[in-house]
C-alpha cells in the first residue's frame, strides 16, 4: 500500500522509460543533455538489465564483409550504408560520452575468418569497400592471410583472413557502470524490480504506467507525460504487434591461456560466430543459426548443444594446438526483424519505442537513444 508521501511526490514524472539497458539509459541521458530540468524515471524489471546490455561480448564493431553481403540481400545499398553509418556514429557517441579508458575501449582491429568454399567473400570485398568509402574516406577491409599462421588458427580450415583495422573491443561491465554513473550524475532515477505490466495513453492527460513489484506482489501506477519503451526482445509483452522476434545469444569465456597468439575481435559465418581476447582469455559466442526456431526465445539459459559446438570450434579452428578450460557460460536475449533496421517510432500520441537492435546494441544503442530523445522532444517542444 502506497503512503501519502509516495503518492504526493514519487509517482509523477515528465518521462518514464521502460528498460535500464544501453538504449534506455542512453535515451534518458540524451533527454537530460537536451533539457536538463526534465524529471525522468527508468523502470527495470530485473535487478540488472534483463536483455543483452550486460551480457554481450563487448564488440565495438559495425559489420563483417559476409554479414554486410547478407544484409544486401534484404536491404538496398543505401540502407546498408545508412545502417553502418548509424553504428559508426553510435560507437563514436558512446566513446565520447563515457570515455574510452573508462569503458576499456581498445582498437586492436577486427578479422573475418574465411573457410574453403567461401572465396566469394574475398571476391566481394572490393564491392563493400566501395560502398563504405564515403563514410570512412578509405578502404575498410583488406586481405590479411599472413596472419592465419601467426594467430595459430587451423590452416587446413581457415583459408583467408580479412582485416578491418577500425574495429575495437570494450569491457561491457565497465560500460554499463559508466552509464549508471552518468545517469545518476544527471539526476535520473532508476527503479529495479519494477515490471511494467501495461499502460494507458490518455492523450492530453499523459500516460498511466502500471507496475508490479513481484517480490512483494505490490501493484502501483505511475504517471508521466511521455512513455518510452526500450525493452528490445521483450517488447511484445507491451506492444504485441511490434515486428520483431527474440534471438538468444550464447557465450562462453575461457580461463587465461598461456601464450595466446591473437588480440582483437573476430567473426565468421555472416557474424553468427564471434570471438575476441579479453586479456589472455577468449570470449566466444554464437551458433544461433544452428537452430533459429529454438533460439527465438526469451529464456535466458545456455544449451548443451550450442555450447558443445562452440567448444568444438575452439578445439578444431581457433586453438587447434592449445589446451583451454572453459571458465563460465551465459546467455543474453537480442531482437531481430526482417532486416537490421531498428524500430524508432511513435506507438501512440504519448508512447514511443526504440527497439529491435539486430544484435548490434553496443554499436547503435547510444545513437538510438539520441534519436528517441529528439523524437520525444519534437512532440513536446517545451
Amino acid at each position: 500500500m502506497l503512503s501519502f508521501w509516495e503518492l504526493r511526490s514519487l509517482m509523477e514524472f515528465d518521462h518514464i522509460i521502460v528498460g535500464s539497458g544501453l538504449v534506455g539509459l542512453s535515451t534518458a541521458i540524451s533527454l537530460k543533455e537536451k533539457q536538463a530540468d526534465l524529471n525522468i524515471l527508468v523502470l527495470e524489471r530485473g535487478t540488472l538489465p534483463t536483455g543483452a546490455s550486460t551480457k554481450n561480448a563487448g564488440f565495438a564493431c559495425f559489420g563483417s564483409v559476409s554479414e554486410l553481403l547478407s544484409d544486401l540481400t534484404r536491404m538496398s545499398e543505401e540502407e546498408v550504408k545508412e545502417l553502418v553509418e548509424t553504428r559508426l556514429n553510435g560507437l563514436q557517441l558512446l566513446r565520447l560520452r563515457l570515455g574510452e579508458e573508462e569503458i576499456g575501449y581498445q582498437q586492436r582491429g577486427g578479422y573475418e575468418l574465411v573457410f574453403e568454399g567461401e572465396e566469394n567473400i574475398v571476391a566481394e570485398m572490393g564491392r563493400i569497400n566501395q560502398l563504405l568509402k564515403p563514410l570512412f574516406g578509405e578502404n575498410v577491409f583488406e586481405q590479411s592471410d599472413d596472419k592465419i599462421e601467426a594467430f595459430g588458427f587451423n590452416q587446413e580450415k581457415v583459408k583467408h583472413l580479412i582485416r578491418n583495422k577500425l574495429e575495437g573491443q570494450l569491457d561491457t561491465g565497465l560500460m554499463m557502470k559508466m552509464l549508471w554513473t552518468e545517469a545518476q550524475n544527471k539526476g535520473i532515477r532508476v527503479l529495479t524490480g519494477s515490471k511494467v505490466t501495461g499502460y494507458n495513453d490518455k492523450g492530453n492527460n499523459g500516460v498511466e504506467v502500471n507496475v508490479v513489484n513481484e517480490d512483494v506482489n505490490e501493484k502501483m501506477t505511475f504517471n508521466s507525460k511521455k512513455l518510452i519503451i526500450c525493452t528490445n526482445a521483450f517488447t511484445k509483452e507491451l506492444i504485441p504487434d511490434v515486428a520483431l522476434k527474440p534471438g538468444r545469444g550464447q557465450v562462453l569465456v575461457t580461463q587465461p591461456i598461456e601464450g595466446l597468439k591473437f588480440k582483437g575481435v573476430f567473426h565468421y559465418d555472416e557474424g553468427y560466430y564471434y570471438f575476441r581476447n579479453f586479456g589472455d582469455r577468449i570470449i566466444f559466442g554464437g551458433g544461433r543459426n544452428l537452430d533459429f526456431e529454438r533460439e527465438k526465445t526469451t529464456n535466458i539459459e545456455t544449451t548443451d548443444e550450442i555450447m558443445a559446438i562452440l567448444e568444438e570450434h575452439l578445439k578444431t579452428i581457433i586453438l587447434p594446438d592449445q589446451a583451454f578450460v572453459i571458465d563460465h557460460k551465459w546467455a543474453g536475449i537480442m531482437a531481430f526483424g526482417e532486416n537490421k533496421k531498428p524500430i524508432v517510432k511513435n506507438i501512440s500520441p504519448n508512447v514511443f519505442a526504440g527497439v529491435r537492435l539486430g544484435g548490434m546494441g553496443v554499436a547503435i544503442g547510444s545513437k538510438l537513444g539520441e534519436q528517441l530523445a529528439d523524437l520525444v522532444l519534437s512532440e513536446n517542444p517545451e
Side-chain angles (χ1 to χ4, degrees):
M1 180 180 296
L2 295 175
S3 72
F4 168 75
W5 309 112
E6 290 167 332
L7 290 170
R8 178 179 172 84
S9 301
L10 301 179
M11 310 303 292
E12 302 278 342
F13 294 86
D14 293 317
H15 302 302
I16 290 179
I17 297 170
V18 189
S20 72
L22 179 53
V23 176
L25 291 180
S26 295
T27 302
I29 292 167
S30 289
L31 283 166
K32 278 288 201 176
E33 288 173 346
K34 297 170 187 296
Q35 195 169 324
D37 62 344
L38 288 173
N39 186 17
I40 297 175
L41 173 66
V42 179
L43 296 170
E44 170 58 49
R45 67 194 293 172
T47 302
L48 296 172
T50 308
S53 291
T54 56
K55 299 176 177 66
N56 62 74
F59 279 59
C61 60
F62 47 82
S64 63
V65 173
S66 65
E67 182 179 358
L68 295 172
L69 287 171
S70 177
D71 291 340
L72 284 169
T73 66
R74 302 173 183 86
M75 305 168 69
S76 68
E77 288 193 353
E78 190 60 33
E79 287 174 326
V80 170
K81 187 166 71 173
E82 288 177 0
L83 190 61
V84 172
E85 185 174 21
T86 299
R87 294 169 178 172
L88 176 64
N89 291 339
L91 287 169
Q92 289 175 336
L93 177 56
L94 178 69
R95 291 155 58 188
L96 179 65
R97 173 179 281 162
L98 302 182
E100 292 186 354
E101 184 176 348
E102 287 77 6
I103 62 174
Y105 179 79
Q106 297 174 322
Q107 189 170 307
R108 287 178 163 162
Y111 296 83
E112 177 165 14
L113 283 65
V114 180
F115 302 99
E116 188 171 359
E118 296 181 334
E119 288 78 8
N120 67 298
I121 298 172
V122 178
E124 292 276 25
M125 183 175 65
R127 176 190 175 192
I128 300 299
N129 274 335
Q130 191 66 28
L131 177 66
L132 301 185
K133 199 166 187 177
L135 300 179
F136 297 93
E138 60 179 316
N139 287 335
V140 174
F141 301 102
E142 62 182 9
Q143 201 165 339
S144 190
D145 294 354
D146 59 304
K147 294 291 182 66
I148 299 174
E149 182 178 4
F151 288 157
F153 300 151
N154 187 335
Q155 296 178 68
E156 293 184 3
K157 293 181 178 290
V158 183
K159 297 303 182 182
H160 303 284
L161 275 183
I162 297 175
R163 179 173 181 255
N164 174 358
K165 66 181 180 182
L166 302 176
E167 285 195 334
Q169 55 187 284
L170 52 78
D171 183 316
T172 294
L174 291 180
M175 176 189 71
M176 289 305 300
K177 284 176 68 174
M178 288 304 301
L179 276 170
W180 289 340
T181 299
E182 185 70 11
Q184 185 178 36
N185 289 343
K186 291 187 178 301
I188 296 162
R189 302 175 192 179
V190 180
L191 293 182
T192 60
S194 303
K195 182 178 180 180
V196 176
T197 57
Y199 64 86
N200 178 22
D201 189 340
K202 301 189 296 180
N204 293 334
N205 295 317
V207 187
E208 290 181 341
V209 183
N210 302 317
V211 174
V212 61
N213 182 334
E214 294 180 329
D215 289 339
V216 295
N217 196 30
E218 183 177 33
K219 297 179 181 180
M220 59 191 76
T221 300
F222 292 92
N223 294 280
S224 66
K225 297 175 183 176
K226 305 291 180 182
L227 175 66
I228 308 165
I229 297 171
C230 302
T231 49
N232 207 31
F234 300 88
T235 303
K236 281 185 176 290
E237 295 178 12
L238 295 174
I239 312 172
D241 60 349
V242 68
L244 64 76
K245 295 179 180 179
R248 181 168 56 192
Q250 302 188 42
V251 188
L252 60 79
V253 60
T254 70
Q255 292 183 3
I257 298 170
E258 186 176 353
L260 184 65
K261 295 180 180 180
F262 60 81
K263 296 186 185 301
V265 298
F266 298 81
H267 324 257
Y268 58 92
D269 196 1
E270 298 181 6
Y272 285 115
Y273 292 90
Y274 42 90
F275 63 96
R276 56 165 288 194
N277 77 295
F278 182 79
D280 291 327
R281 300 171 183 261
I282 296 176
I283 298 174
F284 184 27
R288 184 173 62 88
N289 57 329
L290 295 172
D291 192 341
F292 281 120
E293 287 305 313
R294 187 180 63 176
E295 296 307 299
K296 290 177 184 175
T297 179
T298 55
N299 292 329
I300 306 175
E301 58 188 15
T302 61
T303 63
D304 292 341
E305 295 84 353
I306 285 183
M307 283 296 154
I309 291 294
L310 294 180
E311 290 192 42
E312 180 65 19
H313 283 209
L314 277 173
K315 292 176 183 176
T316 60
I317 299 172
I318 301 167
L319 296 170
D321 301 316
Q322 287 183 276
F324 62 88
V325 177
I326 303 303
D327 192 35
H328 187 57
K329 305 173 182 179
W330 71 93
I333 309 298
M334 304 168 283
F336 300 89
E338 292 290 327
N339 56 50
K340 298 286 183 65
K341 190 173 181 179
I343 296 172
V344 182
K345 69 175 186 177
N346 252 118
I347 301 300
S348 62
N350 297 309
V351 180
F352 305 79
V355 298
R356 201 178 73 183
L357 279 69
M360 281 282 182
V362 171
I364 67 175
S366 300
K367 191 63 180 177
L368 202 65
E370 187 178 67
Q371 292 171 350
L372 267 173
D374 286 337
L375 181 60
V376 171
L377 294 178
S378 71
E379 298 291 326
N380 181 23
E382 65 185 30

